[in-house]
Amino acid sequence: MPPTVSRVASLSGLLAFPVTPFTESGDVDLARFRTHLDDVLAAKPGAVFVACGTGELASLTATEQQAVVKAAVEQVAGAAPVLAGVGGGTRTAVEFTRAAEAAGADGVLALPPYLQVGPPAGLVAHYRQVAAATDLGVILYQRGTAIFSPEAVAELAEVDNIVALKDGHGDMELLQLIHTATAGRLPLLNGMPTAEIYARSYAGVGARAYSSAVLAFLPEVATAFFQAFETGDDATQELLLREFYAPLARLRQTTPGYAVSLVKAGLHLRGRSAGPVRAPLAEVSPEHREQLARIIDRGLAALSATAVA
């Protein structure tokens, strides 16, 4: 397996998904992005995924995506694999993929094609073209308009540089069928919104690594939960789920786009503002911002309780 593929073929641990900071006028703020990356790296994530869903790939131009990826590669400096989000229609996804490789990324996360919903054969053709455009490792992302049949995943698993499937769909029966169809050859990653809530369920199909949006704004809670998950500390997991993750998930469900907007609001509340979100996402309402502040306080208090115990 080529080195460009092998580094992302067996990702493990807590996977970081930083935001893309913007200035108040809406331009990409690379200086704040580098500072944000330093904060994320302090948690020692298993990999850093930039310009993905949390990084608002859908609102970035190809030039902006490449600039974000290049800045990440420079700032991470080999401390962890850097993977770039790519997506859109097939030709757009190929353009993003080539730009990410030119910027020095270690791999790409292939987000669902834009809007159109095709049959399994169409999805296979799309991802084959993305993979053929690069020597990097490619991770499939199942959610939205990209829901795979087990047979389609088994076919794509035969492509040398398709190295994993990240799932944000949450159908455990389908995941088990995919795992069976691929004989476990294609690693599965938990990519659900508020993935910590699903961590134990995904572990049942061999998906122990997961993406954490919380790591971007409350790394102490994210790392404490992951440590409890890894060591089988059910009491700490239950406490953090009850006091922090479940309330956060309920708040996220109130408004479309809050999976991203709440992360940026959380950064602002913690004195690490990453600027606004771009339309069509919307800023968190004042009422919901107050709720988020209370949820963060509850999470930190729960964390303090575990330290005392």
Side-chain angles (χ1 to χ4, degrees), residues 117-214:
V117 179
L123 281 178
V124 169
H126 172 83
Y127 289 103
R128 278 189 176 277
Q129 288 183 54
V130 171
T134 183
D135 291 328
L136 302 179
V138 176
I139 296 177
L140 309 174
Y141 193 2
Q142 174 163 261
R143 67 178 298 172
T145 56
I147 307 302
F148 298 91
S149 68
E151 295 77 17
V153 178
E155 184 176 346
L156 288 168
E158 298 299 324
V159 178
D160 288 343
N161 62 327
I162 291 180
V163 298
L165 171 71
K166 181 185 181 207
D167 181 73
H169 181 52
D171 183 334
M172 301 309 296
E173 179 181 25
L174 176 59
L175 277 182
Q176 182 59 63
L177 292 174
I178 287 171
H179 183 71
T180 300
T182 60
R185 297 190 314 275
L186 196 70
L188 301 176
L189 308 174
N190 170 5
M192 292 294 289
T194 319
E196 287 86 350
I197 288 177
Y198 298 85
R200 288 179 285 192
S201 296
Y202 274 75
V205 289
R208 295 195 63 85
Y210 61 81
S211 58
S212 176
V214 171

Side-chain angles (χ1 to χ4, degrees), residues 185-264:
R185 297 190 314 275
L186 196 70
L188 301 176
L189 308 174
N190 170 5
M192 292 294 289
T194 319
E196 287 86 350
I197 288 177
Y198 298 85
R200 288 179 285 192
S201 296
Y202 274 75
V205 289
R208 295 195 63 85
Y210 61 81
S211 58
S212 176
V214 171
L215 185 66
F217 71 95
L218 203 60
E220 52 268 70
V221 170
T223 53
F225 183 91
F226 183 72
Q227 180 65 24
F229 171 64
E230 284 289 273
T231 60
D233 180 353
D234 289 334
T236 296
Q237 290 178 75
E238 290 294 339
L239 176 64
L240 293 175
L241 286 169
R242 182 177 66 250
E243 295 299 314
F244 176 75
Y245 286 103
L248 179 67
R250 288 194 291 270
L251 181 57
R252 188 199 75 235
Q253 292 163 0
T254 64
T255 308
Y258 264 19
V260 177
S261 299
L262 287 173
V263 178
K264 283 196 166 177

